[in-house]
Amino acid sequence: MWQQERYQRIRALLSAQQRLSTEQLVSALQVSRETVRRDVAALEAMGELRRIHGGVIAQSGEEAPIAERAQQQVPYKQAIARAACSRLRQGQTLFIDAGTTTALLARELATLSGLTIITNAFDVALALRRPAQGGGHQLIMLGGELGERAPATVGGSTVAEIGRYRADIALLSPVGVTAAMGASNYDPREAEVARAMCAQADQVYMLADFSKLGVSSRISTCAASDIDLLISNRQAADMPACQQLAALAGEIWLV
């Protein structure tokens, strides 16, 4: 069993049982205790479980705070951000939602010019402020209520304002992506924003590092068949979740 397949199996078992002993993991994965130890250490570093004496327990259903998530999988997210930028061209209008991957995307976009960018995320907007000497992008910050979980606007006003615009591409950073649920999010109001951006864009790009593939969160924001481009990492190549998504999404690009 490949490493990423083992990770997905551990996630699935924890989702069903919440607590697993080391012996249960060894039996379910058919690997050594040392391999189990390495796998659970890696998943704990990703914030997906917590090791306890004799086994592991699932993390709370609450998504980790954004400050914590910003420190996870950074090289993989940066590779995705650079790849997404390479698919853009001057004159396009983009929706960008709030997330740790889209925050890194904004830093890459700051080196370009000539785009119209519509966002609800303060860190995206700050990274893309027009320089004093001119140039840069046209930036539109969506109004609304300040979200509790991320530095971004959310709520009915934000969703209504999205409806005033049409974008070429929505670049979104979901909590997870599966063939069955598509892209999903934990927070209902953040999910509403992502769903509205999908509806108002000609194309939808999902930016999801390999640890998010096969992961389902609370609320679906976009069916897998409505994803025009899923950008993830090469580490996902042999994951069953990636292969299932390949049959539904328009294109998958592994970087």
Side-chain angles (χ1 to χ4, degrees):
M1 187 181 295
W2 293 94
Q3 181 186 64
Q4 295 304 321
E5 291 181 275
R6 297 198 303 272
Y7 288 179
Q8 292 303 101
R9 179 63 174 153
I10 293 169
R11 292 182 184 113
L13 289 168
L14 275 177
S15 177
Q17 300 183 44
Q18 300 300 301
R19 179 186 294 262
L20 296 165
S21 68
T22 301
E23 287 71 24
Q24 285 176 303
L25 289 170
V26 168
S27 176
L29 301 175
Q30 294 294 295
V31 295
S32 68
R33 292 175 65 90
E34 180 62 22
T35 298
V36 166
R37 187 194 67 77
R38 288 196 299 268
D39 286 351
V40 298
L43 288 168
E44 184 177 48
M46 297 178 196
E48 299 190 32
L49 55 77
R50 184 158 61 86
R51 285 180 288 179
I52 59 172
H53 180 69
V56 296
I57 58 173
Q59 288 282 43
S60 164
E62 176 84 17
E63 190 185 15
I66 195 165
E68 181 179 326
R69 286 184 281 122
Q71 305 304 314
Q72 299 169 350
Q73 308 290 86
V74 173
Y76 303 107
K77 294 174 182 177
Q78 288 174 328
I80 290 169
R82 287 191 292 268
C85 282
S86 74
R87 298 288 290 247
L88 306 177
R89 63 179 186 275
Q90 285 191 345
Q92 288 180 318
T93 297
L94 314 176
F95 283 128
I96 301 179
D97 73 349
T100 56
T101 306
T102 49
L104 293 170
L105 172 67
R107 297 180 192 176
E108 296 292 330
L109 288 172
T111 65
L112 307 177
S113 63
L115 297 165
T116 298
I117 296 169
I118 306 165
T119 187
N120 69 319
F122 290 109
D123 49 4
V124 171
L126 289 170
L128 295 171
R129 283 183 299 179
R130 189 187 298 271
Q133 66 271 26
H137 307 291
Q138 180 183 3
L139 177 66
I140 299 170
M141 181 74 202
L142 296 165
E145 304 170 46
L146 179 61
E148 297 177 357
R149 293 166 37 80
T153 55
V154 293
S157 298
T158 309
V159 171
E161 198 168 344
I162 291 168
R164 296 172 49 206
Y165 299 100
R166 190 74 197 174
D168 296 294
I169 304 169
L171 295 117
L172 309 176
S173 176
V175 171
V177 191
T178 67
M181 196 171 186
S184 57
N185 205 316
Y186 179 85
D187 184 87
R189 298 203 296 174
E190 292 176 11
E192 287 177 345
V193 169
R195 192 179 297 116
M197 288 181 172
C198 289
Q200 292 297 113
D202 294 335
Q203 290 191 303
V204 175
Y205 289 7
M206 288 294 167
L207 315 183
D209 69 74
F210 69 95
S211 71
K212 295 182 177 183
L213 302 193
V215 174
S216 296
S217 194
R218 277 183 170 181
I219 304 162
S220 177
T221 59
C222 178
S225 57
D226 291 330
I227 298 172
D228 296 287
L229 174 64
L230 170 62
I231 307 179
S232 190
N233 308 112
R234 293 190 182 95
Q235 287 77 1
D238 296 313
M239 294 172 61
C242 185
Q243 294 162 6
Q244 292 161 8
L245 283 161
L248 296 171
E251 180 184 355
I252 294 183
W253 191 11
L254 302 181
V255 297

